[in-house]
Amino acid sequence: MAPALQTIEETFHAALDCDPDQLNAFLDTRCGGDKALRTKVEALLASHRKAETSVEISISAVAANIIGNRQPDSLIGETIGHYRILKRIGAGGMGEVYLASDINAGRTAALKVLPAHLGSNMERLRRFEQEARAVAGLNHPNIMTIYEVGTDDSRRYIASELIEGETLHERLARGGVEIREAIEIAIQVASALAAAHSAGVVHRDIKPQNIMLRPDGYVKVLDFGIAKLAEREVLPSVPENEALKLVETNAGSILGTVSYMSLEQARGAHVDKRTDIWSLGVVLYEMITGRAPFPGDIPGEVMSSIVEKEPLPLGRYLERVPPELEQIVTKALQKNPQERFQSANELLAALKHLLHKLELAAELDQSSARDSSARWIQSPIAAGVAVLAIALAALFPFYWLRKPRTAAIPEKSVAVLPFENLSDDKTNSYFADGMQDEILSDLAKVGELKVVSRTSVMQYKSGAARNLREIAHQLGVAHVVEGSVERSGTHVHINAQLIDARSDHRVWGQTYDRELSDIFAIQSEIAKSIADQLQAKLSPDEKKAIERPPTSDVTAFDLYTRAKNIQLATTIRSTEKTDLLNVVDLLNQAVARDAAFFDAYCQLAYAHDILYFSGYDHTPARLALAEAAVHTAFRLRPEAGEAHLARARNLY
Amino acid sequence: MNGDLTSANPAKAGRLSGEVGEAHQVTQLLADWRQGEEAALEKLTPLVYEELRRLAHRYMAGQQPDHTLQTTALVNEAYLRLVDQTKPSFANRSHFFAVAATAMRQILVNHAKAQQRLKRGGGASKVDLDTAALISPEQTKTVLDVDEALERLAELDSRKAQVVELKYFGGLNQDEIAEVLKISIVTVRRDWLFARAWLYTELQNVA
C-alpha cells in the first residue's frame, strides 16, 4: 500500500532537519521496513536539493513575456555598422549577443546589441563608452577586450573579442568545481577587478554568467560597466525601505538573477568598487558549495536574505574547508563595506596566499606522510598531482604547515641535514647543498622510508654545534644524515654518515675521494647505503630511479643547484620577481648545457608557473614558456611523476 | 530603464489619470472577496488579466527579444494602477497578487495549449505565429506539465497547490501567502518546501 501523503511529508521534513551524516541512520529508523516510504522520501530529498540550487523561476518570466506578446525579430543576416551578423550566440538582460564578422578587419567578433531603452540615455552611454575605453586600455588578460562601442541607425552595439569556452554559470550547471579550481578562478576574476578598479571602473554585475572559462584555463570577465547603463537613478531622498521596494519592482535593474547583488545594491544605495568584492564573494561561495549564500525562491526573498541574513559557513556543506577560505568568504560578504576587503588587490593577495598554502600543504602531506592520500583535493587531476607529488616533495620541498608530531617516531625515518662545505672557495657552498639535495631526493624515492623535506632541515645549518637528538626529535625522525664536501679543481672529497639520533650512535659512515665527474654515482651510492642500513627494501624501479644521474653535466648541475637554492631560500610568498627571473635564467643555462636535464625542466616549469600565477607576469607568453618546459619534461620522461605534476599544474 | 514599470512610488501611481474609477472598483471587489464573496473574484479576474496584458504589451514594445519581464514587477505595477493607493493595505496587495497569480497561470496554460494545437495542425499559415514563437516547445511542455502536476497536487492537498500557484505564478512572498491563505508563515514555508520537492519529482517522472 502506498504511504499516506501526511506520513511522507512528516518524514521529509524531519529528514530535512536531520544532520546530513545522520540521514541514513535516521531513514533506517524512521522508515523501518517500509521501502515505498523510503524511496518516496529519498526522491523528494533529491528533488529538494536540486530545487534549492535554482533561484530563477523561468516560468513566471515566460508568462509575463507571453502576455507581452512580443515579436521575436532576428538580426541574422543583417549588417550593423561594419559587422555582418552571422548567428545568435546568447542573450542576457543587457541584450542579444551575436557572432558577427567584421567586414573591415576581416575577423570575427562578438556583437552585443543593446536593448532600445539602454541605448537611449546619451549621458550614460557616453560614460559607459568612456569606461569601456578605460578598461580596454588596460589590456588585461582576464578582461574581455572591447573593440568598439558603436551606433547604427539608432541601434547601439558593443563589439568585442570572441571568447571560446563556457560561462562559469554553464560550468556550474554541469557540476561543482574543486576548491582549488574555485580559488584559481576567483584569483583571475579578482585580478581583472583590481585592474578595472584601478582605472576607476566598477563592474557592478559580477556573476557566473559574466565569467567566461576558456579551454586554455584563462578566465575572462565580461561586460565591465554595462550594468551601470541599466541602473535606475535612485533618488537620495528615497528612504531605505522604499528603495528596496523600488529595486524589487524594477525589472530593469534585476537583470536576471538578484543573487549576486551586494547589500548596497539590494538597498538601492550608492555602490563603489566594494560591491564587486561582495559579488565575487557570492560567486566563490557558490563555486565551493554549489549553493547560493543568500537563498530564496523569488527575487524578493533573495533580497531580504541579503539584507538580513548571514550565510551558512562553508563548513556546513563540505568537509575540511581550509579555515582561511572560510575567512576570505566571510570577509568578502560583510554587510558593512568597511569591513570587507577594501580593494580587489587585498582580496587577490588573500586568495593567492591561500592557494599557495594549499599547494604547499598538499606537497607537505606527501613528503611527511607519503602513505596518506591528499585530503582536500579530489579531482582526478589533483589526485594525480597528489600521487605524483611524492617524488616531487624532495624536489620542491616547501614546508609550511607543520603538523604537530604526536605519533610514534617510525624506525625507518631519516633527515638529511645540510652538508658542510669544506672547500677553500666558500662560494662553492651551493655545491654542498646540491649534494645534500640529491641524496635527500634519492632517499625520498624509496617508498618504505620517511624522509623529511629539505625546507624543514634548512634551518639546521652545518657548522654550528648541532644537538642531533634534539633536531631529530623536532623533525620526528629516528635517524639523521650528516656530511661534508670538499671540492678542489676536478676532485671531490665527500664524507657522509648515518646516525641513530636516539642513541647518538653512528650506524654507518663512508669517505669518498674521487673525480668531480663521479659525484652523481657517489650520491646514488650514499643513498643506497643509507636505505640498506635502514633496512628499507628498494623496488627495481626505485633502484633504477636512484641510480639514474640527474644530468651528465656537472656545470649544468651547478646552475640547477644554484637556482634551487634561490627558490628555496625564501618562502614562495616572499619570493621576489627578480629572484624568480634569476632562477629562470640559471635553469635556462642549465638546460642549454644539458638538453636532457629532466629535473631542470620541471623546476623551470614551476618557476614560470609561479611568475604567472603570482601575477608578476600574468601573460600568455609566460604561460606558454611554462607549457613548453612541461612539454619537454614530459617528452624526456613520459612516465615520471614530476613531469605529470608540472603538467597538471599547468593545466589548471 | 524606461518609465513604464518603474512607478513603484505610490505617490506617482496615485496620480495616474483615468484609472481612479477603476481603482475604486477593484479595491471594492477585493474587499468583497476578502469577506468571502466568491462572485467578486469572478469580476475581479478579467479586470486584472486585462491590465496585466495591457501593461506587458506596452512594456515589451521596443525591447529586444529575450528580454525577460519579471512577473512580480508586472503584477506590482498593475496593482499600483488598479488598486486605490490612498489607503494602501497589505491585505489588499496580497489578495490582488493572488488574483494575478491565477490569471498568470491561466495565461500560460492557454498559450501553451494553443501552441500545441498549432503544432498538431501542421503550422497552418493562417494562424498568428507571433505568439506561438514566444515559448519553445520545451517550455510549452513544462508549462503544461506543471499545470497538470499542480492539479494532481490539488487533489491530494489543495492548500499546497495554492501555495505553489501564489508563489510560482504570482511571485508572492511568504508573508503575503500567509495572509491570503490565512495560515502561519511556518506552514507556508513547510508547504512550499514539500510541494516544490513533490513537483520536481513529478516533473522528473514525466520527463
Side-chain angles (χ1 to χ4, degrees):
Chain A
M1 199 185 81
L5 189 72
Q6 199 185 344
T7 318
I8 297 170
E9 190 186 353
E10 278 164 12
T11 315
F12 169 76
H13 282 295
L16 281 189
D17 294 336
C18 177
D19 203 323
D21 303 344
Q22 313 288 317
L23 187 62
N24 264 328
F26 166 81
L27 289 175
D28 286 345
T29 322
R30 184 76 175 236
C31 303
D34 193 341
K35 271 228 171 85
L37 175 63
R38 180 157 185 161
T39 312
K40 194 89 195 155
V41 171
E42 280 180 340
L44 286 169
L45 290 171
S47 294
H48 171 78
R49 283 189 288 270
K50 229 181 282 166
E52 227 181 8
T53 52
S54 53
V55 173
E56 289 159 294
I57 292 175
S58 54
I59 280 301
S60 61
V62 171
N65 288 324
I66 285 171
I67 60 173
N69 187 11
R70 291 173 309 135
Q71 285 247 210
D73 56 329
S74 164
L75 297 174
I76 294 161
E78 279 190 47
T79 305
I80 296 186
H82 48 96
Y83 296 92
R84 175 159 307 130
I85 310 282
L86 302 175
K87 189 173 134 190
R88 191 169 151 281
I89 49 180
M94 308 291 187
E96 296 269 277
V97 186
Y98 296 94
L99 169 68
S101 143
D102 182 338
I103 300 160
N104 292 353
R107 63 182 171 193
T108 50
L111 201 75
K112 174 170 282 193
V113 181
L114 295 180
H117 69 283
L118 291 189
S120 61
N121 185 329
M122 294 313 285
E123 172 53 25
R124 282 191 189 192
L125 209 59
R126 199 185 54 73
R127 256 186 294 158
F128 165 69
E129 286 192 42
Q130 230 169 35
E131 291 193 347
R133 282 204 193 93
V135 173
L138 293 169
N139 202 13
H140 191 279
N142 299 124
I143 296 178
M144 176 183 73
T145 307
I146 290 186
Y147 297 145
E148 70 171 309
V149 181
T151 311
D152 176 33
D153 199 17
S154 82
R155 269 181 304 210
R156 287 276 166 176
Y157 61 86
I158 301 164
S160 63
E161 69 173 307
L162 192 69
I163 300 169
E164 255 183 82
E166 59 180 347
T167 67
L168 177 58
H169 183 71
E170 289 160 349
R171 171 74 188 78
L172 291 174
R174 283 201 287 116
V177 295
E178 298 304 322
I179 285 186
R180 180 167 159 158
E181 193 184 348
I183 296 169
E184 278 169 0
I185 291 169
I187 282 177
Q188 296 197 50
V189 175
S191 174
L193 290 177
H197 291 174
S198 73
V201 177
V202 179
H203 191 291
R204 290 153 199 268
D205 196 21
I206 288 290
K207 58 185 178 189
Q209 290 88 338
N210 278 336
I211 297 170
M212 282 290 284
L213 310 178
R214 281 204 331 203
D216 62 3
Y218 265 109
V219 174
K220 294 261 183 182
V221 180
L222 318 181
D223 289 353
F224 267 94
I226 296 186
K228 203 171 175 180
L229 276 176
E231 237 169 47
R232 284 194 62 221
E233 305 288 352
V234 177
L235 300 172
S237 58
V238 179
E240 203 169 88
N241 56 344
E242 275 302 310
L244 177 59
K245 242 193 275 166
L246 237 165
V247 175
E248 189 173 352
T249 51
N250 176 0
S253 68
I254 306 179
L255 299 150
T257 170
V258 294
S259 308
Y260 307 92
M261 266 190 182
S262 69
L263 178 78
E264 50 282 20
Q265 279 177 319
R267 281 183 168 152
H270 172 77
V271 303
D272 61 20
K273 60 186 179 178
R274 291 171 295 188
T275 193
D276 289 344
I277 295 190
W278 168 292
S279 301
L280 179 51
V282 177
V283 172
L284 185 55
Y285 189 101
E286 189 181 332
M287 281 195 282
I288 292 161
T289 64
R291 293 163 200 246
F294 305 102
D297 299 313
I298 54 171
E301 262 178 45
V302 175
M303 275 193 277
S304 60
S305 172
I306 290 171
V307 175
E308 291 155 16
K309 301 212 175 96
E310 293 301 329
L312 288 174
L314 306 175
R316 281 288 294 272
Y317 296 115
L318 69 167
E319 287 176 20
R320 300 186 191 97
V321 176
E324 205 172 317
L325 179 60
E326 193 89 70
Q327 284 160 17
I328 288 173
V329 170
T330 307
K331 193 167 177 190
L333 295 178
Q334 284 300 308
K335 305 228 182 282
N336 179 357
Q338 303 286 346
E339 288 165 23
R340 283 176 218 157
F341 293 99
Q342 293 301 295
S343 69
N345 264 322
E346 203 184 308
L347 171 58
L348 182 61
L351 287 167
K352 279 182 187 165
H353 180 205
L354 169 61
L355 182 64
H356 289 321
K357 209 162 152 178
L358 294 180
E359 279 173 356
L360 298 169
E363 283 170 12
L364 174 72
D365 259 9
Q366 295 310 319
S367 65
S368 65
R370 68 183 61 218
D371 55 343
S372 73
S373 57
R375 297 190 174 83
W376 59 272
I377 36 180
Q378 267 132 36
S379 78
I381 267 190
V385 170
V387 171
L388 300 159
I390 294 169
L392 193 89
L395 267 175
F396 310 120
F398 301 102
Y399 206 83
W400 201 294
L401 296 170
R402 173 87 60 88
K403 282 196 292 289
R405 295 181 188 282
T406 46
I409 291 172
E411 179 65 32
K412 294 179 187 180
S413 56
V414 63
V416 183
L417 299 183
F419 276 38
E420 195 174 355
N421 175 31
L422 299 175
S423 319
D424 291 338
D425 185 354
K426 289 298 164 200
T427 57
N428 270 341
S429 69
Y430 63 84
F431 186 73
D433 291 336
M435 209 51 211
Q436 172 216 6
D437 190 32
E438 276 304 305
I439 293 167
L440 194 155
S441 302
D442 281 346
L443 288 174
K445 287 169 188 155
V446 184
E448 278 189 24
L449 279 181
K450 177 195 159 187
V451 183
V452 176
S453 75
R454 188 163 161 213
T455 323
S456 52
V457 297
M458 284 281 281
Q459 54 182 308
Y460 307 109
K461 261 292 163 201
S462 60
R466 301 191 278 211
N467 180 339
L468 293 184
R469 194 179 297 209
E470 182 56 28
I471 291 172
H473 180 73
Q474 283 170 10
L475 295 172
V477 290
H479 302 89
V480 294
V481 175
E482 279 195 305
S484 64
V485 178
E486 189 180 349
R487 177 175 171 178
S488 55
T490 57
H491 271 80
V492 280
H493 179 93
I494 292 165
N495 172 267
Q497 36 192 301
L498 177 68
I499 293 149
D500 185 332
R502 294 162 297 188
S503 57
D504 255 341
H505 172 70
R506 183 171 169 280
V507 182
W508 167 89
Q510 187 76 46
T511 299
Y512 305 84
D513 239 327
R514 305 241 195 114
E515 288 298 302
L516 184 58
S517 53
D518 269 354
I519 56 157
F520 303 121
I522 301 171
Q523 286 163 358
S524 307
E525 274 176 44
I526 294 175
K528 278 190 287 183
S529 303
I530 292 168
D532 188 41
Q533 289 295 327
L534 295 177
Q535 294 174 3
K537 276 197 266 318
L538 268 64
S539 72
D541 281 348
E542 288 169 354
K543 188 164 174 286
K544 219 174 100 191
I546 288 174
E547 284 170 356
R548 176 159 51 193
T551 169
S552 50
D553 186 297
V554 179
T555 312
F557 184 71
D558 273 358
L559 292 160
Y560 167 76
T561 308
R562 275 163 60 194
K564 261 190 97 168
N565 268 13
I566 295 171
Q567 218 165 349
L568 209 60
T570 85
T571 63
I572 291 185
R573 203 180 159 195
S574 60
T575 302
E576 291 298 328
K577 188 181 178 183
T578 46
D579 286 337
L580 285 168
L581 292 175
N582 196 5
V583 165
V584 169
D585 183 47
L586 288 165
L587 291 168
N588 276 332
Q589 292 180 47
V591 297
R593 294 192 61 94
D594 175 7
F597 197 166
F598 171 80
D599 292 333
Y601 281 109
C602 289
Q603 188 80 12
L604 190 57
Y606 193 51
H608 284 311
D609 265 355
I610 293 177
L611 276 164
Y612 178 80
F613 284 111
S614 64
Y616 285 136
D617 185 21
H618 198 82
T619 60
R622 182 62 62 186
L623 203 60
L625 287 171
E627 185 58 49
V630 168
H631 190 77
T632 313
F634 194 69
R635 189 172 46 76
L636 288 170
R637 285 191 209 168
E639 78 297 348
E642 292 93 327
H644 286 282
L645 178 89
R647 187 172 188 78
R649 257 179 204 295
N650 224 276
L651 286 174
Y652 268 93
Chain B
M1 200 61 253
N2 59 2
D4 287 350
L5 267 185
T6 54
S7 52
N9 187 334
K12 189 182 165 199
R15 281 200 306 275
L16 292 168
S17 59
E19 282 152 12
V20 178
E22 212 173 21
H24 277 303
Q25 192 194 355
V26 171
T27 313
Q28 189 54 49
L29 285 171
L30 277 173
D32 292 349
W33 179 39
R34 242 181 14 256
Q35 258 125 53
E37 233 183 86
E38 287 302 317
L41 181 61
E42 280 171 33
K43 288 182 199 157
L44 204 49
T45 309
L47 285 174
V48 174
Y49 185 105
E50 258 326 295
E51 181 64 9
L52 286 172
R53 210 181 157 74
R54 201 176 61 77
L55 277 176
H57 262 289
R58 215 173 80 188
Y59 177 68
M60 282 306 188
Q63 294 293 331
Q64 289 294 325
D66 272 22
H67 183 96
T68 54
L69 176 55
Q70 298 246 338
T71 308
T72 328
L74 192 65
V75 174
N76 205 47
E77 180 75 3
Y79 167 67
L80 292 172
R81 283 166 185 274
L82 285 182
V83 180
D84 184 4
Q85 294 299 314
T86 52
K87 289 168 277 176
S89 119
F90 177 69
N92 263 346
R93 186 172 181 275
S94 314
H95 281 82
F96 181 86
F97 267 64
V99 179
T102 318
M104 282 295 198
R105 181 176 171 188
Q106 216 43 59
I107 288 167
L108 264 172
V109 170
N110 288 345
H111 179 81
K113 283 183 177 161
Q115 192 168 344
Q116 270 200 341
R117 276 197 300 274
L118 191 71
K119 214 169 87 184
R120 275 198 293 271
S125 59
K126 280 176 205 146
V127 190
D128 175 15
L129 278 161
D130 294 343
T131 26
L134 280 167
I135 55 175
S136 66
E138 296 80 38
Q139 283 172 320
T140 304
K141 186 164 164 26
T142 310
V143 168
L144 295 177
D145 287 345
V146 168
D147 184 61
E148 279 164 25
L150 262 185
E151 289 300 328
R152 287 198 295 277
L153 181 60
E155 278 165 31
L156 293 170
D157 188 329
S158 63
R159 191 185 69 205
K160 286 189 179 58
Q162 274 179 296
V163 169
V164 173
E165 185 181 81
L166 293 173
K167 192 152 180 163
Y168 195 57
F169 293 99
L172 264 69
N173 66 27
Q174 288 175 21
D175 298 7
E176 292 161 341
I177 296 171
E179 159 68 30
V180 174
L181 298 180
K182 309 230 174 331
I183 53 179
S184 76
I185 293 169
V186 178
T187 308
V188 174
R189 182 80 195 145
R190 283 172 64 91
D191 276 359
W192 168 250
L193 283 181
F194 181 78
R196 185 179 62 175
W198 191 88
L199 280 174
Y200 260 71
T201 314
E202 285 288 303
L203 292 179
Q204 214 159 30
N205 293 341
V206 172

